[in-house]
Amino acid sequence: MKNRFNIILTCFGFIVFIACAGDGNKKEAPENNAAEHMSTTSTVEMLDYKIDGPKGVGAIKSFAHKPFDAQLATKGVELFVSKCAMCHGFDRTLVGPSLNGIVTRRTPEWIMNMMLDPATMLEKDPDAKALSKEFASPMTSLGLKEEEARAILEYLRERNSTTK
């Protein structure tokens, strides 16, 4: 009985030790990352989208260039995290290409057409075809509506402005 008590006490002590152990230098994650991100970019000049270049193949034929919309970008963060972040990053290439600088490399029409109908873009757009050869997995349909793609695009604009 005494031996069993010692084993239980030792196990409990070990569990407490593991639970309390950790890196004392860890930084706490901000509670509202999107809000913090928005506040830091309010002083940064927003990049304009690339105007000249291929528009892609799809429903988006033209794009109205408007001033930066922080509310729309906040919606875009949420959509990006839920729909895009599994395959795309900014600091490195994941399953799909890095999106760092995307708004300076591609027109907004091309980006939105790729988000809205990647199958058609991969079939008919020469730039999308060339890009897909670099990656093992083709982009799949995200089921986005046009206004959702526009929100993600505004977030990309904001994100690329802070990393330029």
Side-chain angles (χ1 to χ4, degrees):
M1 182 72 168
K2 188 175 182 179
N3 192 21
R4 186 178 284 175
F5 179 73
N6 285 339
I7 291 173
I8 291 172
L9 190 59
T10 302
C11 289
F12 180 72
F14 185 69
I15 290 170
V16 169
F17 175 75
I18 289 175
C20 293
D23 185 2
N25 296 328
K26 276 188 179 177
K27 295 179 182 175
E28 290 187 28
E31 290 180 22
N32 189 349
N33 196 15
E36 179 180 307
H37 186 68
M38 295 304 292
S39 67
T40 60
T41 58
S42 62
T43 59
V44 175
E45 185 177 324
M46 287 294 135
L47 287 174
D48 286 330
Y49 300 107
K50 180 178 179 180
I51 296 172
D52 297 325
K55 307 293 184 197
V57 179
I60 309 300
K61 304 293 184 205
S62 65
F63 180 79
H65 294 266
K66 298 178 182 176
F68 177 71
D69 184 340
Q71 263 188 320
L72 194 58
T74 300
K75 290 178 190 173
V77 172
E78 295 168 5
L79 288 163
F80 182 86
V81 168
S82 67
K83 302 267 187 180
C84 312
M86 293 172 282
C87 298
H88 297 282
F90 291 95
D91 301 329
R92 62 191 164 121
T93 298
L94 300 173
V95 174
S98 168
L99 298 179
N100 192 34
I102 187 71
V103 299
T104 61
R105 293 191 315 267
R106 304 278 181 206
T107 63
E109 295 90 348
W110 193 95
I111 297 168
M112 287 182 67
N113 281 322
M114 191 66 179
M115 284 190 279
L116 293 170
D117 192 1
T120 300
M121 285 286 286
L122 292 169
E123 180 185 328
K124 298 179 179 179
D125 182 75
D127 290 339
K129 283 181 186 179
L131 191 60
S132 72
K133 290 178 182 178
E134 296 178 35
F135 300 92
S137 180
M139 185 168 166
T140 60
S141 176
L142 303 172
L144 294 173
K145 295 180 174 105
E146 191 173 319
E147 58 273 4
E148 292 172 322
R150 174 68 178 91
I152 294 171
L153 183 65
E154 195 69 355
Y155 167 63
L156 294 174
R157 179 182 181 201
E158 174 199 21
R159 178 64 193 245
N160 280 261
S161 291
T162 61
T163 60
K164 62 179 177 174

